[in-house]
Amino acid sequence: AMEDVCARFVSQKISKTRWRPLPAAALQPPDLFATGSWDNEDNRISLWFIEDVGKVGLSGEYQGEPQLLCDIRHDGDVMDMQFLDQERIVVASSTGTVTVFRHHQNNQTLSASQQWERAHYHVDQDTPCGGAACTGVVCNNPEIVTVGEDGRINLFRVDQKDAVRTIDNADSSTLHAVTFLRTTEILTVNSIGQLKIWDLRQQRNEPSQIFSLTGDRVPLHCVDRHPNQQHIVATGGQDGMLSIWDIRQGTMPVSLLNAHEAEMWEVHFHPSNPDHLFTCSEDGSLWHWDTSRDVSEKPSFLHQGGRSTAYLSHSTINQSVVSAWLSNDPTKDRMEITNLIPNQTLSVNSLDILGPCLVYGTDAEAIYVNRQLFA
């Protein structure tokens, strides 16, 4: 289905891509996304808009090609990026600084509305060159959690100048990624193959649980939790393996799946149809993992109602399908895996999915959008 994908060359290496969240009751597919770049002389945060499919764009170009709405310079490589709400984006920098950018929709500009300088640092926060990369950020408005190369965890609240809480020596190794497990708990992954749970209500500076890959202590780069079954967690590592964990039991992954041939950079469950999972890698591939067992019989989860698309409600998700992730070998007879980019050569650094739409960014200085993922 490559013909459903439109590409836009942007003359910078893209490190992060994120859809703007839809308002709660929205029926239309997402139409605006942000990108961040890395390894360029001038890194940028950019906002892109996609015309309604079927319309010809402003200058008569191919329908659906992303149009640049606005952009702004960013100091350092963009390491991570998350929308806080409809108009604010939180960005993690390789300099250790965390910035909130605001999108002004009346005149289509971006501005830095708030900044925590050197939220992550080696040695001393006041040394000019002592910044440590902020590797991950996750938001649950008004709260923002960041992790970094310095093994530190920060809890910020938007519009407050100082961190609400900092766990200075949360980890002795690099923390690579963070996500919320529930409102008061976060999950982190580190460079020695550990997944940790932190309860932010506790004043202790220790994790409430530690899980780890057995054996090699392969660095873990990314983490996501299942949107409905919060005990199911997926992580991806330096060896390209996908690990599925059940945090209710044991301290090891429930299954290890052979995936990519190089680092896995991101893993995402589909937010409203989590029997689908997506991973992308340094090896230039982007995989779609589908555990809805009998693919021929499954009800189409997106039914067309005119031009708009209705999303499946949580209650209709079949529980047995969900637990497919926890079977000893999900790939045996109940998983289809498709590489969505068969002949890409350079690293796919980031992906995001919302409704029927996928956006991903690469070191080939291009962003790609597929608006018909389940067609």
Side-chain angles (χ1 to χ4, degrees), residues 312-369:
L312 197 72
S313 73
H314 286 333
S315 58
T316 50
I317 289 172
N318 174 341
Q319 296 309 303
S320 65
V321 169
V322 165
S323 60
W325 289 115
L326 298 182
S327 78
N328 291 338
D329 181 10
T331 47
K332 201 145 144 218
D333 48 8
R334 43 209 294 191
M335 190 180 305
E336 271 201 319
I337 304 170
T338 318
N339 179 10
L340 297 180
I341 19 183
N343 40 24
Q344 158 78 350
T345 51
L346 293 175
S347 178
V348 183
N349 297 322
S350 183
L351 72 97
D352 198 25
I353 37 198
L354 190 55
C357 301
L358 164 74
V359 59
Y360 58 94
T362 71
D363 274 352
E365 308 199 337
I367 43 183
Y368 299 85
V369 177

Side-chain angles (χ1 to χ4, degrees), residues 111-275:
S111 67
S113 64
Q114 189 170 7
Q115 198 162 56
W116 293 282
E117 282 199 32
R118 275 194 289 284
H120 294 272
Y121 54 92
H122 297 299
V123 212
D124 177 14
Q125 194 161 17
D126 303 320
T127 326
C129 56
C134 177
T135 50
V137 55
V138 65
C139 306
N140 184 12
N141 192 0
E143 299 193 316
I144 298 166
V145 176
T146 70
V147 297
E149 242 171 33
D150 53 358
R152 205 172 254 106
I153 298 174
N154 291 307
L155 172 61
F156 295 110
R157 210 161 272 135
V158 76
D159 301 330
Q160 289 189 19
K161 193 163 70 74
D162 297 317
V164 179
R165 167 117 192 252
T166 294
I167 306 177
D168 271 329
N169 300 305
D171 213 296
S172 52
S173 58
T174 294
L175 288 168
H176 282 302
V178 60
T179 193
F180 276 100
L181 181 56
R182 38 185 78 85
T183 337
T184 53
E185 287 179 297
I186 56 167
L187 288 165
T188 58
V189 291
N190 70 11
S191 59
I192 55 171
Q194 293 172 323
L195 169 68
K196 297 182 182 180
I197 299 179
W198 305 82
D199 185 338
L200 297 172
R201 290 165 304 191
Q202 301 285 334
Q203 283 316 299
R204 298 180 312 138
N205 289 340
E206 277 86 52
S208 50
Q209 275 177 281
I210 301 181
F211 303 82
S212 51
L213 295 173
T214 46
D216 299 339
R217 297 196 162 241
V218 176
L220 291 174
H221 286 298
C222 52
V223 58
D224 195 25
R225 77 151 168 76
H226 191 289
N228 317 331
Q229 308 264 306
Q230 299 185 334
H231 53 277
I232 302 177
V233 174
T235 62
Q238 181 146 341
D239 54 3
M241 294 280 273
L242 172 66
S243 311
I244 305 291
W245 313 69
D246 181 346
I247 59 173
R248 297 170 306 185
Q249 48 177 310
T251 56
M252 290 168 357
V254 196
S255 52
L256 285 168
L257 302 170
N258 272 312
H260 303 277
E261 292 173 12
E263 290 89 344
M264 184 189 297
W265 293 131
E266 285 196 4
V267 56
H268 290 292
F269 285 101
H270 190 289
S272 54
N273 199 35
D275 45 355

